[in-house]
Amino acid sequence: MAAKRVAQSAINWAAIAERVPAEQRAHYLAFKAKSDGYLRKVVALPEQPPKIDWAMYKNKVPNPAMVDEFQKKYDTFKIPLPEDNVSSIIAAEEKQAAANVQKFKQESAARIVQHEEELKKLSAQIPLKEMTLEDYAYAYPNDCLDPANRPTFWPHTPEEQPGEDDKKDEHH
């Protein structure tokens, strides 16, 4: 019977183990061993506490009225359980997380398609080792050196290029 109440909150240790990094494996195994120890203790306990033999106490205690009073108080005593006011919040967060995961999957699928198209384009072009300057200029017109329209001078840094002094003066 005790296993039945614990089975409802069973943990999927195999799924967790797949996600544990190698450097944290020892901590994971220690945590799992501690959790298994607690589980064994709970399973060893009976589902219901043992019944109190009130008749035996009435025979052994000199004042049976005191035993009756204890029995009455024991039978009426109920441990109040806290109200569950967070399950709805957790369920809402779970739904939001699931929606975020779905959105991320859709965005990732779109990125994958984009990257696959880029890969097709890159695999269709001449390998960079075999490209000439003309081939590179044709493949990447914005990145290549264009002496007619965009000449650069040594040391080829933006601040050393012609016209940079004029831009500096404009900012000050």
Side-chain angles (χ1 to χ4, degrees):
M1 290 295 190
K4 185 177 184 181
R5 58 189 165 150
V6 176
Q8 294 172 351
S9 63
I11 298 169
N12 187 352
W13 290 105
I16 295 173
E18 292 173 356
R19 293 171 176 83
V20 174
E23 64 273 4
Q24 294 181 354
R25 177 75 58 194
H27 295 293
Y28 163 74
L29 292 175
F31 174 73
K32 184 177 181 318
K34 189 175 263 194
S35 176
D36 290 344
Y38 290 141
L39 179 65
R40 278 191 295 278
K41 286 180 183 178
V42 169
V43 170
L45 296 173
E47 189 170 349
Q48 296 293 327
K51 300 291 182 192
I52 298 174
D53 186 8
W54 296 107
M56 179 200 64
Y57 284 112
K58 284 180 186 178
N59 291 334
K60 293 194 176 194
V61 174
N63 186 359
M66 187 171 72
V67 175
D68 288 334
E69 183 182 335
F70 281 138
Q71 182 180 7
K72 183 176 148 189
K73 287 181 181 178
Y74 181 81
D75 290 339
T76 59
F77 179 71
K78 299 292 179 211
I79 297 174
L81 296 176
E83 249 184 65
D84 183 14
N85 54 6
V86 293
S87 289
S88 59
I89 296 169
I90 292 171
E93 287 180 5
E94 199 173 81
K95 285 181 183 177
Q96 180 64 37
N100 290 346
V101 167
Q102 285 301 97
K103 180 181 174 191
F104 179 76
K105 282 182 176 180
Q106 291 171 349
E107 291 171 353
S108 294
R111 283 192 301 272
I112 288 170
V113 169
Q114 225 174 14
H115 293 308
E116 285 175 346
E117 290 173 5
E118 183 80 18
L119 269 174
K120 286 179 186 175
K121 212 163 51 169
L122 289 173
S123 64
Q125 77 180 19
I126 301 170
L128 288 175
K129 289 181 179 180
E130 299 173 11
M131 261 189 197
T132 63
L133 288 176
E134 291 81 15
D135 293 332
Y136 184 82
Y138 181 73
Y140 303 100
N142 295 329
D143 297 336
C144 70
L145 177 64
D146 185 5
N149 299 321
R150 293 186 313 270
T152 61
F153 297 97
W154 187 88
H156 306 287
T157 57
E159 53 272 351
E160 297 296 327
Q161 301 310 309
E164 286 297 316
D165 292 335
D166 300 335
K167 290 180 186 174
K168 287 179 188 175
D169 291 339
E170 291 173 6
H171 294 295
H172 295 290

